[in-house]
Amino acid sequence: MTTIDPRVGALTGPRPAPRRRNGGGTLWAGCVLIGLVVLAAVLSAFWTPFDPEGVFPDSILRSPDAAHLLGTDSFGRDVLSSILRGAQISLLVGTVAVGIAAVLGVPFGIVAGMNPGRLDQFMMRGNDIALAFPALLLAIIFGAIFGAGTVSAMVALGIGTAPAFALIARSGTMQIMSREYVQAARAAGKSGLFIGVRHVLPNISGMLIVQASLSFGIAVLAEAALSYLGLGTPPPTPSWGRMLQDAQGYLFIEPLLIVWPGIAIAIAVLGFNLLGDGLRDRFDPRMQVQR
């Protein structure tokens, strides 16, 4: 019950419940799903039940059995082996694409945020123009110009995702630049590079990690889409998107062929999305809730 304390003339009563950071279950669920993908990629680097790049005419379109737990495809390749090896491509594309996006976008956004005015407006208008080109569309254009392949897909997805990192970095930088310790550093004559590296970057790292996790899931899905269209990872290297493309012609003969790579893509994308949501709930104070 709330009362007025005559000694201080102020409202007194039960203290507000302490705030807690939410999203622990989401974070752990994302870590578990991503752990499965990483485990598959690491395991396939040393061992797979069968050669995922070979051709076995005697085992074409076999249903799941004791030898081939997920069956075989139209080339006689073991589907489980292809799924395991395909995890390597997905993680590789996601890692390189997010790395390129962060290297290009984060410094761009920090510079814009530290220089409000005409320079910031000019840089952000250019960033808005870049945002008008979706990463997947840019990857298709790169594939048409430079040829389809994993490298062109990674570079295009990285460049296409960089503007999102720039926006996040700029927003966080503008908040940090108003802090007292940053003002003190500027008054002490510290350079912009020192302030950006010492004060800005560490304080916006949480937001950047969240963005990286969400962008990773988008890159995995985009790579699968490009491979499905024939603009991503070329055969015979296993790719989940390529497996979907190969399986569509046998949908009514062996429908499970299209199910397994679809499940693999869903696990990877859902895992990174859950991880991003969980990290956002941990790092973003606006997501705090009362007990």
Side-chain angles (χ1 to χ4, degrees), residues 51-141:
D51 182 7
E53 299 183 9
V55 177
F56 306 94
D58 296 335
S59 302
I60 292 177
L61 296 177
R62 290 181 58 176
S63 299
D65 54 27
H68 303 277
L69 298 181
L70 302 183
T72 62
D73 62 11
S74 58
F75 295 95
R77 295 172 299 197
D78 181 63
V79 174
L80 177 59
S81 301
S82 299
I83 292 288
L84 295 176
R85 185 65 61 84
Q88 292 186 23
I89 296 297
S90 295
L91 292 181
L92 175 63
V93 171
T95 301
V96 175
V98 171
I100 292 174
V103 169
L104 295 178
V106 173
F108 188 92
I110 291 178
V111 171
M114 292 179 63
N115 297 275
R118 292 184 177 180
L119 178 60
D120 174 45
Q121 293 180 6
F122 176 77
M123 296 177 69
M124 285 300 100
R125 296 298 78 76
N127 196 70
D128 292 340
I129 294 174
L131 279 172
F133 294 91
L136 185 59
L137 175 61
L138 187 62
I140 294 175
I141 296 174

Side-chain angles (χ1 to χ4, degrees), residues 21-223:
R21 295 187 183 274
N22 202 13
T26 302
L27 182 62
W28 280 109
C31 290
V32 170
L33 294 179
I34 294 173
L36 294 176
V37 179
V38 173
L39 178 62
V42 173
L43 178 63
S44 65
F46 302 98
W47 173 84
T48 54
F50 298 89
D51 182 7
E53 299 183 9
V55 177
F56 306 94
D58 296 335
S59 302
I60 292 177
L61 296 177
R62 290 181 58 176
S63 299
D65 54 27
H68 303 277
L69 298 181
L70 302 183
T72 62
D73 62 11
S74 58
F75 295 95
R77 295 172 299 197
D78 181 63
V79 174
L80 177 59
S81 301
S82 299
I83 292 288
L84 295 176
R85 185 65 61 84
Q88 292 186 23
I89 296 297
S90 295
L91 292 181
L92 175 63
V93 171
T95 301
V96 175
V98 171
I100 292 174
V103 169
L104 295 178
V106 173
F108 188 92
I110 291 178
V111 171
M114 292 179 63
N115 297 275
R118 292 184 177 180
L119 178 60
D120 174 45
Q121 293 180 6
F122 176 77
M123 296 177 69
M124 285 300 100
R125 296 298 78 76
N127 196 70
D128 292 340
I129 294 174
L131 279 172
F133 294 91
L136 185 59
L137 175 61
L138 187 62
I140 294 175
I141 296 174
F142 267 53
I145 296 175
F146 301 105
T150 306
V151 175
S152 62
M154 292 188 296
V155 173
L157 293 175
I159 295 175
T161 310
F165 278 85
L167 286 178
I168 296 295
R170 173 183 178 269
S171 176
T173 300
M174 295 181 71
Q175 298 177 20
I176 299 300
M177 293 301 293
S178 62
R179 304 289 175 84
E180 292 79 3
Y181 55 84
V182 175
Q183 298 297 329
R186 299 182 71 174
K190 299 297 184 181
S191 66
L193 178 62
F194 175 87
I195 294 174
V197 175
R198 178 66 177 82
H199 297 297
V200 175
L201 188 57
N203 285 284
I204 66 173
S205 59
M207 295 185 292
L208 295 176
I209 292 174
V210 174
Q211 179 62 35
S213 178
L214 296 175
S215 298
F216 208 114
I218 294 174
V220 170
L221 186 60
E223 188 280 328

